[in-house]
Amino acid sequence: MSRVGAPVDVVVIGFGAAGACAAIEAADAGASVLVLDRFAGGGASALSGGVVYAGGGTEQQRAAGVDDSVDAMYDYLRLEVGDAVSEETLRRFCTGSVDMVGWLQDNGVPFAGSLCPYKTSYPNDDYYLYHSGSETAGGFREVAKPAARGHRVHGPGTSGKLLFARLADAVRRRGVQVLPGTRATELITDDAGAVTGVRVRTLRDAPTWVRRAHRVLGRYSAKPGIYVPAIRKALSRQAERLERRYAREEELTARRGVVISAGGFIANRAMVREHAPAYRGGLALGTSADDGSGIRLGVGAGGATAFLDRVTAWRFVTPPSVFIRGLIVDRNGTRVIDESRYGAAVGEALIQHHEAKGWLLVDDEIVATAKRTARKEAQWFQWLQAAYVLSRGRVTGSSPAEVAKRVGLDPDGLQATVDAYNEAAAAGAADPAGKPGEYVQPLRTPPFSLLDISIKPSLSFPCAMLTLGGLVVDERTGQVRAENGEPIPGLYAAGRSAVGICSRSYVSGLSLADCVFSGRRAGSSVVRSDKNENVF
């Protein structure tokens, strides 16, 4: 080793939303904190839409006239979260939701209470509060009163970059040292197995031009590299060359412990093939540093993992919102799912049960409305996707059976599906797939169109994917657990490096909300002497 870094109380590995929140809490508890990041920080959080799932009566909900309660939020999320976390933890998450938004605002993150009046995957810049999951879908609204809980950070476009920028500012205001261009390679443990530090390879003392070049390569491999894998691969290789040539090894001591918040593993194709082989062909939503390195560090220290097979794949059909009135069908012409369900539920249904193939059947009335409203309802990238499916991704026919033949679907199956849908609508009966009546519109106006929404590599209509599993943690503290269930002294995890609120099922904003929840929990617990006290 060239030299040993000055000891600190807490080392945080990964500087995204979870790492920033952990650093803030640890610093506020009086600890000296060092944050490491392979590039310059941000991670998948900065690439995200900046949506935080929150409810129970937030300031923004009240301003928009949204009636919500902790119980309603809990009842809905219980259906989504499943067994990812205990009922106690989920209740604690919901109960603390209002305070969480307040904490973010206190740290400079802006929100607004402008309520989106239509169903969408992500609102345009007029709206910053919306139904970001399946709250209004069939089977959910009967269990929990729907409420808009998607709190989008108040900024233009996809506002994840603003969320991270404000959290990063809050970290630096506290005097936390941030060490970019640094890759953690191994956790250091003592004879009892407690984590006491981390070995790294760092560009800290590399020539200025090297550090600048590495930072630029990291930025552009994240975006636009996220959309063009070949660009990401080429830029990442150049960054790795700089690391091999100029990075030096160093040992960093953490007197209180280490927090792993290095993201998931969607950028690691080998890990995806091993744990979730069906989830290929999508857009890897993350940076090249979302390679599972944090999870592997924890495993190397004896940590257990869970839910590594859980990947969220987003196949949204909105905007335009009118597309919810169409029918999502498979090769047999049969319905796939209630079309008002969240896009991750649609993606999972297609991948798990329909060979990743699906089509949206619409009639001319819906197409005309879509062309009229798509641009008004959408962000620029959503409008381009809508334009694609309405042009190159669209096949038409004078009847459902005819358009099915042109695409290669079962014509009799599709015609029977449309007949059943229309008959139920005309009779005022329940939709065969459970779609709520407000989204039901008979398909009667030719020509009929099938829009290809299959999940496949496509820059024009990509399917974003994100891994959800990670290291198993104590739900009171965020401390990583070993295979035998015992906590590993000095080791904590947060965000997508850990099992959390969204590890079973994802809706927009739930991952970022969990990054805040789990990051704060880990950052507070690593400093506190009483690790049995529930803080978050």
Side-chain angles (χ1 to χ4, degrees), residues 72-408:
M73 181 181 179
Y74 173 87
D75 289 342
Y76 168 69
L77 286 180
R78 185 75 268 166
L79 298 176
E80 297 282 11
V81 169
D83 61 352
V85 298
S86 67
E87 293 183 2
E88 176 189 357
T89 298
L90 181 59
R91 175 67 68 176
R92 191 164 63 250
F93 172 77
C94 295
T95 301
S97 186
V98 171
D99 289 340
M100 176 187 68
V101 174
W103 183 86
L104 287 169
Q105 289 179 296
D106 289 343
N107 281 286
V109 180
F111 294 97
S114 48
L115 180 64
C116 187
Y118 51 84
K119 181 69 174 172
T120 184
S121 60
Y122 190 80
N124 64 24
D125 286 349
D126 293 330
Y127 307 110
Y128 289 87
L129 179 66
Y130 70 116
H131 290 90
S132 62
S134 292
E135 298 90 353
T136 64
F140 291 87
R141 60 170 60 199
E142 294 84 3
V143 174
K145 181 180 178 180
R149 302 190 185 99
H151 290 62
R152 176 185 162 206
V153 173
H154 190 219
T158 51
S159 47
K161 56 185 176 296
L162 177 60
L163 167 72
F164 174 72
R166 295 298 174 84
L167 288 174
D169 288 344
V171 167
R172 292 187 172 94
R173 283 197 303 271
R174 286 162 169 83
V176 171
Q177 182 183 1
V178 177
L179 187 58
T182 301
R183 184 202 292 260
T185 59
E186 185 181 9
L187 295 175
I188 301 170
T189 58
D190 62 17
D191 293 340
V195 174
T196 60
V198 57
R199 292 187 178 89
V200 301
R201 288 186 58 79
T202 180
L203 295 170
R204 171 159 52 184
D205 295 329
T208 300
W209 74 265
V210 171
R211 288 183 278 117
R212 288 177 177 171
H214 188 264
R215 186 161 55 247
V216 169
L217 290 169
R219 181 188 312 136
Y220 288 104
S221 69
K223 222 174 193 181
I226 188 174
Y227 300 115
V228 187
I231 291 178
R232 167 171 286 181
K233 189 174 183 179
L235 296 179
S236 296
R237 282 178 174 172
Q238 293 183 46
E240 289 168 0
R241 290 192 189 102
L242 291 178
E243 292 168 359
R244 287 194 298 270
R245 172 67 178 82
Y246 294 100
R248 60 175 176 74
E249 293 184 333
E250 187 172 332
E251 286 188 357
L252 303 173
T253 299
R255 291 183 290 249
R256 298 291 187 93
V258 172
V259 178
I260 297 174
S261 54
F265 61 90
I266 195 61
N268 187 322
R269 297 181 66 182
M271 283 187 72
V272 172
R273 282 196 299 269
E274 177 184 358
H275 298 289
Y279 289 85
R280 289 176 289 177
L283 184 151
L285 186 57
T287 72
S288 55
D290 284 292
D291 59 359
S293 55
I295 296 172
R296 295 197 302 275
L297 284 172
V299 170
T305 60
F307 297 103
L308 297 185
D309 61 330
R310 298 298 297 174
V311 176
T312 180
W314 308 344
R315 179 45 85 220
F316 293 109
V317 297
T318 62
S321 57
V322 71
F323 276 167
I324 294 178
R325 301 178 181 276
L327 305 180
I328 298 177
V329 298
D330 62 10
R331 287 189 180 277
N332 298 318
T334 56
R335 295 278 288 282
V336 169
I337 196 171
D338 165 7
E339 292 78 14
S340 68
R341 288 291 305 278
Y342 179 70
V346 176
E348 181 175 11
L350 291 175
I351 291 172
Q352 295 293 341
H353 306 294
H354 301 277
E355 301 177 322
K357 301 292 185 181
W359 293 262
L360 179 69
L361 178 70
V362 293
D363 66 1
D364 191 58
E365 183 177 346
I366 290 178
V367 168
T369 302
K371 289 180 177 180
R372 188 172 63 252
T373 61
R375 192 157 196 167
K376 179 175 65 176
E377 292 183 352
Q379 297 282 345
W380 67 268
F381 62 92
Q382 295 170 313
W383 178 75
L384 290 177
Q385 292 172 13
Y388 170 79
V389 297
L390 283 168
S391 55
R392 293 183 61 189
R394 175 186 172 204
V395 176
T396 63
S398 60
S399 68
E402 179 180 330
V403 73
K405 290 178 182 177
R406 291 184 176 179
V407 172

